[in-house]
Amino acid sequence: MRFFLIFILLFLSSVQVFSQAVPDSLRFNFGKQGGQQPSTYVLTGKIMDKDSGEPIEGVGLHVDGFYGGVNTDRFGTYYLTLTPGFHRVTFRHLAKVPVFTEVTLYDNGVVNLEMVDKNYELDGVVVLSEEPDRNVRNPITGITKLTTRELQAIPAFLGEADIFKGLQLLPGVSSVGEGTSGINVRGAKTDQNLLLMDEAIVLSSNHALGFLSAFNTDVTETFTLYKGNLPASFGGRAGSALNIQMRPGSDEDWKGQIGLGTSNGKLVLEGPIKKEKASLIFGGRISNANWLLGQARDFDIKNSKLNFYDGYFGVAWNISPGHDIEARTLLTGDYFKFSNEFGYDWSNRVSSLNYRGILGENWSIRGIFADGDFTNSFFDPEGLDAAEVRNGMRYQQGKVTLTWANQNLALSSGLEGVAYSGKDEELRPFSSDSNINPEKIGKEQGLELGVFTSLEWDFSEKTGLVAGLRYSNYRQLGPDTVYLYNEIGPISEDRIIGEEVFGKGTIQSYSGFEPRLSVRHNLANNTSVKGSYARLYQYIQSVSNTFGPTPIDLWQLSTRYIPPQQSDNFSLGFFRNSIENKWEFSVDGFFRTTQNQVEYRDFAQVFLNNHLETEVVLGEGKAYGVEFLIKKNLGVVTGWIAYTYSRSFFRSSGQFEETQINRGEWFPSNYDKPHEVNFIFSRKMYPRGLFNLSVNYATGRPVSAVNASYVINSLVIPEYSDRNQYRIPDYFRVDVSYTLEKVFSKKGDSLNFSIYNLLGRRNAYSVFWQKDGDSRQLRPYRLAILGSIFPSITYSIQFGGGEDE
């Protein structure tokens, strides 16, 4: 600890001044003048970062002094239509030195360029992947975009940059608490978030009980979160959508990175299969955290195990100019055992094949096919009742989108289909000494289809809109057996009066229109107001009888008795930037309602239940709130302060007492946290250092408490309150980190020091009740998952990629 603080103080005083000259124009000639020629030619190519070799997104092309609305995509690729003859083409990016070219075009041409960082005497640079005023001019409200570089500037648990931890520091995003998986966006349940890897569906995304993401940020590029108004091309969830874009491998040189940290070791390797034509990238991580558990004084923790791994493999192939194919596979797995008490084991695989093509000057097409396989289990490892329960989900996804676009208008239409097949739930002995008899229960199958169309139109300099319509249809498919219930009274096990057996075909179907609309109006060049509305349907949900989501929650398809969720989302926001876009200010309010939301009954039997509808309660949800953000984008010091006021409630809609919670009255959801404040501070320490600080405060989540207890025949009987009528203590955490680059290698290495929970605060994960010694009364006890300081050191080094500097 003392060494860490001295290290920071030494580098706080280091400063270096850089300067950079503007290069001369580069000249390119394609073809020869003469004969009959077409009216236009295509100029294409890729723009790369000279130092890192990575593609640069958002480079603007200025032809003969005018910006033509053309930018490089996330692969650094551009397509420009020009008339024959001589043109001056300038490539500009906020954080890069401009590149000036002179192009003489009498044939289609390819110009590949490298750009270098601008260097400032006093100001640092934040690399933006889009226009700096995009937050003001984008018609869609409630959209958040982060880059990998921005994530790496946030202190993280065990020194590992993490997508979900980074998103939770932004307004409107939270979680139930440490040790739970998933995120809650604007008062929505975790299963109401659509998680995508380049538009391929991902069902599980966490390591180590939610402390780390299963996405390695070394192989990711950008993360776009839609917090309420989803594009019409996205469907299947009632809350939000997070699309994680993976980066392609370098098609110029073979290079890689090796890292070793407190929690894991990792490797990244990438390079060209054929230069400027095809490339591959591999990234893998494996945990080494068990030595930390071995340092604990508590016997149970010392006797626990935590293992995880993830691997990503991607191949990108440029078939011809304007036509690309990418193949990807993400493989993750976890194993956790708490002493000899219980454990979890889960794995996930997502494979996808993506195609993108330019069909003409204004036409493009995208297609994707994905296959997913998710398996999880929980187990009791000791005793004669040692057993394991295993379940999961298999699915295939297909999607195609056709787009026509010019400078002010874009039209898109497409089709999407997802086939779900629930894996049989199995109970089996955990060891040869177990007396458990094996048991198997079949799960449902379903098919979800969607047709969508959308319009993005800037019909004036000040006003633009995004309008879309999606029609979704879901069918529960056989073969399956459906129970029949007595129509008098609630659905319960003791009211089963028969069953209906179905062969292949449709058992139950649901469908609906999902309109989407978002409008932006600029009050000034740097100020806008936005409003939006979106209706969303959800045909698959996660069912759990715990207060927080876990990796082994059961994915349940819609059935005859469990209809799809339907949500209506509204938002209205005010956005303003400073004149030079160094500062962002925003206020964004939201309101959402949900129908057919699933909750569990008291003491529900969720697993190994072939009539799950008897254990769940349907109802309606509502959430509302307002988000405030002040963010500094440029300068030696960057960061933001975010405040969110958010409420989330649920009310059961059953007419019978057995299907009601809290007598059918509104009560706070498990994830209702009214106040949350996040402060992020990042300071560039010249020449090669970066200091980061984050502060997080949140209201404690709701819990059900013991109001009183009674003793009957020496047995203590607790009397619980209404559900979620009390709250655990408020949450407060401070993290710091310091990163030093090019420590031992000029080619590129980094050393990261971080401290998670700097103040060692014992933030409550939950509160439970137990007997206090010989007392006959139950007393509350606070359970803290991370109740101490967690320091970490991570070192990574790059290799390959050309000569050393």
Side-chain angles (χ1 to χ4, degrees), residues 678-726:
N678 296 295
F679 173 70
I680 303 298
F681 173 88
S682 182
R683 189 185 194 282
K684 179 69 177 179
M685 309 299 296
Y686 288 101
R688 301 183 304 275
L690 184 68
F691 172 76
N692 303 296
L693 167 73
S694 73
V695 181
N696 173 241
Y697 164 81
T699 306
R701 65 169 185 83
V703 293
S704 304
V706 174
N707 286 331
S709 56
Y710 305 93
V711 179
I712 301 177
N713 295 328
S714 300
L715 182 65
V716 179
I717 307 297
E719 179 185 283
Y720 279 89
S721 68
D722 286 347
R723 187 176 295 188
N724 293 349
Q725 297 304 298
Y726 295 90

Coordinates of all heavy atoms in Angstrom, one line a residue, residues 678-726:
N678 N -22.5 8.7 -9.1 CA -21.2 8.2 -9.6 C -20.3 9.3 -10.0 O -20.8 10.2 -10.8 CB -21.4 7.2 -10.7 CG -22.2 5.9 -10.4 OD1 -21.7 5.2 -9.5 ND2 -23.4 5.8 -10.9
F679 N -19.1 9.3 -9.5 CA -18.1 10.3 -9.8 C -16.9 9.7 -10.4 O -16.3 8.8 -9.8 CB -17.8 11.2 -8.6 CG -16.7 12.1 -8.8 CD1 -16.8 13.2 -9.6 CD2 -15.4 11.9 -8.3 CE1 -15.8 14.1 -9.9 CE2 -14.4 12.8 -8.5 CZ -14.5 13.9 -9.3
I680 N -16.5 10.0 -11.6 CA -15.3 9.5 -12.3 C -14.3 10.6 -12.5 O -14.7 11.6 -13.1 CB -15.7 8.8 -13.6 CG1 -16.7 7.7 -13.4 CG2 -14.4 8.2 -14.2 CD1 -16.2 6.6 -12.5
F681 N -13.1 10.4 -12.1 CA -12.0 11.4 -12.3 C -10.8 10.7 -12.9 O -10.4 9.7 -12.4 CB -11.6 12.0 -11.0 CG -10.5 13.0 -11.0 CD1 -10.6 14.3 -11.3 CD2 -9.2 12.5 -10.8 CE1 -9.5 15.2 -11.3 CE2 -8.1 13.3 -10.8 CZ -8.3 14.7 -11.1
S682 N -10.4 11.3 -14.1 CA -9.2 10.7 -14.8 C -8.3 11.8 -15.1 O -8.7 12.8 -15.7 CB -9.7 9.9 -16.0 OG -8.6 9.3 -16.7
R683 N -7.0 11.6 -14.7 CA -6.0 12.7 -15.0 C -4.8 12.0 -15.7 O -4.2 11.1 -15.3 CB -5.5 13.3 -13.8 CG -4.6 14.6 -14.0 CD -4.0 15.2 -12.8 NE -3.5 16.5 -13.0 CZ -2.3 16.7 -13.6 NH1 -1.5 15.7 -14.0 NH2 -1.9 18.0 -13.8
K684 N -4.5 12.6 -16.9 CA -3.3 12.2 -17.7 C -2.0 12.7 -16.9 O -1.9 13.8 -16.6 CB -3.4 12.8 -19.1 CG -2.2 12.4 -20.0 CD -2.2 11.0 -20.3 CE -1.0 10.7 -21.3 NZ -1.0 9.2 -21.6
M685 N -1.1 11.7 -16.7 CA 0.1 12.0 -16.0 C 1.2 11.9 -17.0 O 1.6 10.7 -17.4 CB 0.3 11.1 -14.8 CG -0.8 11.0 -13.9 SD -1.3 12.5 -13.1 CE 0.2 12.8 -12.1
Y686 N 1.7 13.0 -17.6 CA 2.7 12.9 -18.6 C 4.0 12.4 -18.0 O 4.4 12.7 -16.9 CB 2.9 14.3 -19.3 CG 1.7 14.7 -20.1 CD1 0.8 15.6 -19.7 CD2 1.6 14.2 -21.4 CE1 -0.3 16.0 -20.4 CE2 0.5 14.6 -22.2 CZ -0.4 15.4 -21.7 OH -1.5 15.8 -22.5
P687 N 4.8 11.6 -18.8 CA 4.5 11.4 -20.2 C 3.7 10.1 -20.5 O 3.2 10.0 -21.6 CB 5.9 11.2 -20.8 CG 6.7 10.6 -19.7 CD 6.2 11.2 -18.4
R688 N 3.6 9.2 -19.5 CA 3.0 7.9 -19.9 C 2.1 7.4 -18.8 O 1.8 6.2 -18.8 CB 4.1 6.9 -20.1 CG 5.1 7.3 -21.2 CD 6.1 6.2 -21.5 NE 6.9 5.8 -20.3 CZ 7.9 6.4 -19.8 NH1 8.4 7.5 -20.5 NH2 8.5 6.0 -18.7
G689 N 1.6 8.2 -17.9 CA 0.8 7.7 -16.8 C -0.7 8.2 -16.9 O -1.0 9.2 -17.5
L690 N -1.6 7.5 -16.2 CA -3.0 7.8 -16.1 C -3.5 7.4 -14.7 O -3.4 6.3 -14.3 CB -3.8 7.1 -17.2 CG -5.3 7.5 -17.2 CD1 -5.4 8.9 -17.7 CD2 -6.0 6.5 -18.2
F691 N -4.0 8.4 -14.0 CA -4.5 8.2 -12.6 C -6.1 8.3 -12.7 O -6.6 9.2 -13.3 CB -4.0 9.3 -11.6 CG -4.7 9.2 -10.3 CD1 -4.4 8.2 -9.4 CD2 -5.7 10.2 -10.0 CE1 -5.0 8.2 -8.2 CE2 -6.3 10.1 -8.7 CZ -6.0 9.1 -7.8
N692 N -6.7 7.3 -12.1 CA -8.2 7.3 -12.1 C -8.8 7.1 -10.7 O -8.2 6.4 -9.9 CB -8.6 6.1 -13.0 CG -8.1 6.1 -14.4 OD1 -8.4 7.0 -15.1 ND2 -7.2 5.2 -14.7
L693 N -9.9 7.7 -10.5 CA -10.6 7.6 -9.2 C -12.1 7.5 -9.5 O -12.6 8.2 -10.4 CB -10.4 8.9 -8.4 CG -11.3 9.1 -7.2 CD1 -10.9 8.2 -6.1 CD2 -11.2 10.6 -6.7
S694 N -12.8 6.6 -8.8 CA -14.2 6.5 -9.0 C -14.9 6.4 -7.6 O -14.3 5.8 -6.7 CB -14.6 5.3 -9.8 OG -14.5 4.1 -9.1
V695 N -16.0 7.1 -7.4 CA -16.8 7.1 -6.2 C -18.2 6.7 -6.5 O -18.8 7.3 -7.4 CB -16.7 8.5 -5.5 CG1 -17.5 8.5 -4.2 CG2 -15.3 8.9 -5.2
N696 N -18.8 5.8 -5.8 CA -20.1 5.3 -6.1 C -20.9 5.2 -4.8 O -20.5 4.7 -3.8 CB -20.0 3.9 -6.7 CG -21.4 3.2 -6.9 OD1 -21.7 2.2 -6.3 ND2 -22.3 3.8 -7.6
Y697 N -22.1 5.8 -4.9 CA -23.1 5.8 -3.8 C -24.4 5.4 -4.3 O -24.9 5.8 -5.4 CB -23.2 7.2 -3.1 CG -24.5 7.2 -2.2 CD1 -24.5 6.7 -0.9 CD2 -25.7 7.8 -2.7 CE1 -25.6 6.7 -0.1 CE2 -26.8 7.8 -1.9 CZ -26.8 7.3 -0.6 OH -27.9 7.3 0.1
A698 N -25.1 4.5 -3.5 CA -26.5 4.1 -4.0 C -27.3 3.8 -2.7 O -26.8 3.3 -1.7 CB -26.4 2.9 -4.9
T699 N -28.6 4.0 -2.8 CA -29.6 3.6 -1.8 C -29.6 2.1 -1.7 O -29.5 1.4 -2.7 CB -31.0 4.1 -2.2 OG1 -30.9 5.5 -2.4 CG2 -32.0 3.8 -1.0
G700 N -29.7 1.6 -0.5 CA -29.8 0.2 -0.3 C -31.0 -0.4 -0.9 O -32.1 0.2 -0.9
R701 N -30.9 -1.6 -1.4 CA -32.1 -2.3 -2.1 C -33.1 -2.8 -1.0 O -32.8 -3.0 0.1 CB -31.6 -3.4 -2.9 CG -31.0 -4.6 -2.1 CD -30.8 -5.8 -3.0 NE -30.3 -6.9 -2.1 CZ -31.2 -7.7 -1.4 NH1 -32.5 -7.4 -1.5 NH2 -30.7 -8.6 -0.7
P702 N -34.3 -3.0 -1.5 CA -35.4 -3.5 -0.6 C -35.2 -5.0 -0.2 O -34.7 -5.8 -0.9 CB -36.7 -3.3 -1.4 CG -36.3 -2.4 -2.5 CD -34.9 -2.7 -2.8
V703 N -35.7 -5.3 1.0 CA -35.7 -6.7 1.5 C -37.0 -6.9 2.4 O -37.6 -5.9 2.8 CB -34.5 -7.0 2.4 CG1 -33.2 -7.0 1.6 CG2 -34.4 -6.0 3.6
S704 N -37.3 -8.1 2.5 CA -38.3 -8.5 3.5 C -37.7 -8.8 4.8 O -36.7 -9.5 4.8 CB -39.1 -9.7 2.9 OG -39.6 -9.5 1.6
A705 N -38.3 -8.4 5.9 CA -37.7 -8.5 7.2 C -38.6 -9.3 8.1 O -39.8 -9.5 7.9 CB -37.4 -7.1 7.8
V706 N -38.0 -9.8 9.2 CA -38.7 -10.5 10.3 C -39.3 -9.4 11.2 O -38.5 -8.7 11.9 CB -37.8 -11.5 11.0 CG1 -38.6 -12.1 12.2 CG2 -37.4 -12.6 10.0
N707 N -40.6 -9.3 11.3 CA -41.2 -8.4 12.2 C -41.3 -8.9 13.7 O -41.2 -8.2 14.6 CB -42.7 -8.1 11.8 CG -42.7 -7.2 10.6 OD1 -41.8 -6.4 10.4 ND2 -43.7 -7.3 9.8
A708 N -41.5 -10.2 13.8 CA -41.6 -10.8 15.1 C -41.3 -12.3 14.9 O -41.3 -12.9 13.8 CB -43.0 -10.6 15.7
S709 N -41.1 -13.0 16.1 CA -40.9 -14.5 16.1 C -41.6 -15.1 17.3 O -41.7 -14.4 18.3 CB -39.4 -14.8 16.1 OG -38.8 -14.2 17.2
Y710 N -42.0 -16.3 17.1 CA -42.8 -17.0 18.1 C -42.1 -18.4 18.4 O -41.5 -19.0 17.5 CB -44.2 -17.2 17.7 CG -44.9 -15.9 17.3 CD1 -45.0 -15.5 16.0 CD2 -45.5 -15.1 18.2 CE1 -45.6 -14.4 15.6 CE2 -46.2 -13.9 17.9 CZ -46.2 -13.6 16.5 OH -46.8 -12.4 16.2
V711 N -42.3 -18.8 19.6 CA -41.7 -20.1 20.0 C -42.9 -21.1 20.2 O -43.7 -20.9 21.1 CB -40.8 -20.0 21.3 CG1 -40.3 -21.4 21.6 CG2 -39.7 -19.0 21.0
I712 N -42.9 -22.2 19.4 CA -43.9 -23.2 19.5 C -43.2 -24.5 19.7 O -42.5 -25.0 18.7 CB -44.8 -23.2 18.3 CG1 -45.5 -21.8 18.2 CG2 -45.9 -24.3 18.5 CD1 -46.4 -21.7 17.0
N713 N -43.3 -25.2 20.8 CA -42.7 -26.5 21.1 C -41.2 -26.4 20.8 O -40.6 -27.2 20.1 CB -43.3 -27.6 20.3 CG -44.7 -27.8 20.6 OD1 -45.1 -27.7 21.8 ND2 -45.5 -28.2 19.6
S714 N -40.5 -25.3 21.4 CA -39.1 -25.1 21.3 C -38.6 -24.7 19.8 O -37.4 -24.6 19.6 CB -38.3 -26.3 21.8 OG -38.6 -26.5 23.1
L715 N -39.6 -24.5 18.9 CA -39.2 -24.2 17.6 C -39.6 -22.7 17.3 O -40.7 -22.3 17.6 CB -40.1 -25.0 16.6 CG -39.8 -24.8 15.1 CD1 -38.4 -25.2 14.7 CD2 -40.8 -25.6 14.2
V716 N -38.6 -22.0 16.8 CA -38.7 -20.5 16.6 C -39.4 -20.3 15.2 O -38.9 -20.8 14.2 CB -37.4 -19.8 16.6 CG1 -37.6 -18.3 16.3 CG2 -36.7 -20.0 18.0
I717 N -40.6 -19.7 15.2 CA -41.3 -19.4 14.0 C -41.3 -17.9 13.7 O -41.8 -17.1 14.4 CB -42.8 -19.9 14.2 CG1 -42.9 -21.3 14.6 CG2 -43.5 -19.7 12.8 CD1 -42.3 -22.3 13.7
P718 N -40.7 -17.6 12.6 CA -40.6 -16.1 12.2 C -41.8 -15.6 11.5 O -42.5 -16.4 10.8 CB -39.4 -16.1 11.2 CG -39.4 -17.4 10.6 CD -39.9 -18.4 11.6
E719 N -42.2 -14.4 11.7 CA -43.3 -13.7 11.0 C -42.7 -12.6 10.2 O -42.1 -11.6 10.7 CB -44.3 -13.1 12.0 CG -45.4 -12.4 11.3 CD -46.3 -11.7 12.3 OE1 -47.2 -12.4 12.9 OE2 -46.2 -10.5 12.5
Y720 N -42.8 -12.8 8.9 CA -42.1 -11.9 7.9 C -43.0 -10.7 7.6 O -44.3 -10.8 7.6 CB -41.7 -12.6 6.6 CG -40.4 -13.4 6.8 CD1 -40.4 -14.7 7.2 CD2 -39.2 -12.8 6.4 CE1 -39.2 -15.4 7.3 CE2 -38.0 -13.5 6.5 CZ -38.0 -14.8 7.0 OH -36.8 -15.5 7.1
S721 N -42.4 -9.6 7.2 CA -43.1 -8.4 6.8 C -43.7 -8.6 5.4 O -43.4 -9.7 4.7 CB -42.2 -7.2 6.8 OG -41.2 -7.4 5.8
D722 N -44.4 -7.7 4.9 CA -44.8 -7.7 3.5 C -43.5 -7.7 2.6 O -42.4 -7.2 3.1 CB -45.6 -6.4 3.1 CG -47.0 -6.6 3.6 OD1 -47.4 -7.7 4.0 OD2 -47.7 -5.5 3.6
R723 N -43.6 -8.1 1.4 CA -42.4 -8.3 0.6 C -41.8 -6.9 0.3 O -42.4 -5.9 -0.1 CB -42.7 -9.0 -0.7 CG -41.4 -9.3 -1.5 CD -41.7 -10.1 -2.8 NE -42.2 -11.4 -2.5 CZ -42.5 -12.3 -3.4 NH1 -42.2 -12.1 -4.7 NH2 -42.9 -13.5 -3.1
N724 N -40.5 -6.8 0.5 CA -39.6 -5.6 0.2 C -40.1 -4.3 0.9 O -40.1 -3.3 0.3 CB -39.6 -5.4 -1.3 CG -38.9 -6.5 -2.1 OD1 -38.2 -7.3 -1.4 ND2 -39.0 -6.5 -3.4
Q725 N -40.4 -4.4 2.2 CA -40.9 -3.3 2.9 C -39.7 -2.6 3.7 O -39.9 -1.5 4.2 CB -42.0 -3.7 3.9 CG -43.2 -4.2 3.2 CD -43.8 -3.2 2.2 OE1 -44.2 -2.1 2.6 NE2 -43.8 -3.6 0.9
Y726 N -38.6 -3.2 3.7 CA -37.4 -2.6 4.4 C -36.2 -2.5 3.4 O -36.3 -3.0 2.3 CB -37.0 -3.4 5.6 CG -38.1 -3.4 6.7 CD1 -39.1 -4.4 6.7 CD2 -38.1 -2.5 7.7 CE1 -40.0 -4.5 7.7 CE2 -39.1 -2.5 8.7 CZ -40.0 -3.5 8.7 OH -41.0 -3.5 9.7

